């Protein structure tokens, strides 16, 4: 592994282990549950994570396997794989990665890898390498779906790979891909909070497996906001909440 954008929960070096993935229910690191794979943090900004892998020898690739064993709710939804064939004198010279768990690539490291690859690869950036596997949905969960096989039709020699992992997009696909609270018969009808919020609109009864839209007519107060509070009464699940509006400077906020 020459470079990875994020190694916070588990380093990218785990991708190259020869033995099968294992799971330890009671094993934790300083950063969360121990994982026998590569696991990055959730993306809160546009973009995706990727890593650069230098092959042991130059060769033709006939296929890939992406094993998602023990990655159920936190499996990468989509991946793609790119490749390049670099001459020895054009292989980027980067410092050793050492132990990267709990870290993300710094601005300096991003700059170094981009400058190295763009200057050494005839001004071709790694995100412009040849796609061997286009963006593809990964399967995860049960034992019979953790093995994802991808054939490669481009029969050329390669020296380096770029693995891209993409965050989830769009609507929830199942009940586990949303927010769900526990049933509690002793809970009051609506949970109370100390902070005072302006009510957008009064309580509304939701229907199951349905998208609900609330336009400006339903909202009781149009203003500049930085935070919203969603109240579920008394409990239950919601897949997604989307807010549409326009950015405004905080100086316009009424104090």
């Amino acid at each position: 592994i020459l470079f990875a954008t994020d190694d916070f929960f588990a380093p990218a070096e785990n991708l190259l282990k020869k033995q099968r993935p294992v799971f330890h229910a009671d094993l934790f690191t300083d950063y969360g549950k121990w994982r026998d794979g590569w696991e990055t943090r959730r993306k809160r900004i546009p973009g995706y994570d990727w890593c650069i892998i230098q092959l042991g020898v130059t060769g033709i690739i006939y296929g890939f396997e992406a094993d998602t064993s023990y990655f159920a709710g936190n499996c990468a939804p989509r991946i793609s794989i790119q490749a390049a064939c670099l001459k020895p004198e054009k292989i980027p010279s980067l410092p050793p990665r050492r132990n990267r768990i709990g870290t993300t690539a710094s601005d300096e490291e991003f700059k170094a890898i981009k400058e190295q690859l763009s200057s050494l690869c005839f001004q071709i950036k790694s995100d412009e390498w040849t796609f061997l596997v286009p963006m593809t949905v990964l399967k995860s969960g049960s034992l019979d779906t953790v093995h994802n096989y991808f054939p490669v039709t481009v029969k050329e020699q390669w020296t380096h790979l770029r693995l891209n992992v993409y965050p989830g997009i769009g609507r929830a696909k199942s009940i586990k891909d949303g927010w769900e609270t526990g049933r509690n018969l002793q809970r009051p009808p609506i949970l109370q909070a100390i902070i005072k919020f302006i009510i957008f609109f009064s309580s509304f009864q939701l229907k199951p497996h349905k998208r609900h839209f609330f336009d400006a007519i339903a909202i009781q107060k149009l203003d500049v906001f930085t935070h919203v509070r969603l109240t579920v009464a008394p409990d239950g699940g919601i897949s997604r909440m989307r807010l549409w509006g326009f950015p405004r400077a905080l100086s316009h906020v009424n104090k």
Side-chain angles (χ1 to χ4, degrees):
I1 302 293
L2 297 183
F3 174 83
T5 56
D6 190 306
D7 298 273
F8 195 84
F9 291 114
E13 277 74 11
N14 289 340
L15 293 169
L16 308 183
K17 289 182 177 180
K18 294 182 179 180
Q19 61 270 31
R20 294 272 300 132
V22 296
F23 178 76
H24 298 290
D26 300 324
L27 185 56
F28 292 84
T29 71
D30 292 336
Y31 307 97
K33 187 72 181 69
W34 180 87
R35 297 290 183 183
D36 194 10
W38 179 34
E39 185 176 12
T40 68
R41 291 187 293 181
R42 300 289 186 188
K43 279 291 182 187
R44 300 294 185 238
I45 59 175
Y48 54 90
D49 287 310
W50 50 278
C51 67
I52 299 294
I53 303 170
Q54 180 174 325
L55 301 183
V57 295
T58 302
I60 299 174
I61 299 174
Y62 289 87
F64 293 95
E65 177 194 0
D67 189 340
T68 59
S69 294
Y70 309 113
F71 282 88
N74 55 347
C75 171
R78 298 165 179 79
I79 67 166
S80 68
I81 302 175
Q82 298 169 262
C85 186
L86 308 182
K87 296 180 179 180
E89 65 272 15
K90 297 185 180 300
I91 295 177
S93 176
L94 299 169
R97 280 170 42 84
R98 298 186 176 89
N99 182 19
R100 297 289 302 186
I101 189 171
T103 67
T104 59
S106 64
D107 292 340
E108 292 76 15
E109 289 171 324
F110 267 110
K111 182 178 179 181
I113 188 68
K114 290 181 178 180
E115 289 180 349
Q116 286 273 0
L117 291 175
S118 62
S119 62
L120 295 174
C121 304
F122 305 101
Q123 304 302 315
I124 298 178
K125 300 178 182 179
S126 64
D127 57 357
E128 298 174 0
W129 288 359
T130 302
F131 275 94
L132 301 186
V133 177
M135 185 188 295
T136 306
V137 175
L138 285 183
K139 296 177 293 183
S140 67
S142 59
L143 293 177
D144 59 345
T145 61
V146 297
H147 299 285
N148 299 262
Y149 298 103
F150 306 103
V152 175
T153 58
V154 182
K155 299 301 186 288
E156 298 181 15
Q157 291 193 332
W158 311 105
T159 61
H160 291 74
L161 300 175
R162 169 170 163 149
L163 171 63
N164 307 302
V165 294
Y166 304 97
I169 57 176
R171 298 172 58 187
K173 294 181 174 61
S174 65
I175 190 172
K176 68 180 181 181
D177 191 18
W179 177 38
E180 183 177 13
T181 65
R183 293 294 183 194
N184 186 347
L185 299 180
Q186 305 302 319
R187 181 175 290 166
I190 296 180
L191 302 181
Q192 301 297 320
I194 297 176
I195 303 175
K196 182 179 180 182
F197 281 77
I198 298 173
I199 298 177
F200 270 5
F201 51 82
S202 303
S203 60
F204 182 87
Q205 184 174 0
L206 299 180
K207 297 180 180 179
H209 195 57
K210 179 179 177 59
R211 301 177 71 184
H212 300 78
F213 297 93
F214 307 95
D215 56 20
I217 299 176
I219 296 177
Q220 298 179 8
K221 184 176 179 60
L222 297 178
D223 207 335
V224 179
F225 298 99
T226 61
H227 295 72
V228 296
R229 167 180 158 164
L230 172 65
T231 302
V232 295
D235 46 39
I238 296 175
S239 294
R240 296 288 188 272
M241 182 177 72
R242 302 278 192 256
L243 303 176
W244 285 276
F246 300 94
R248 293 290 186 268
L250 289 179
S251 59
H252 294 289
V253 178
N254 297 325
K255 297 183 179 179

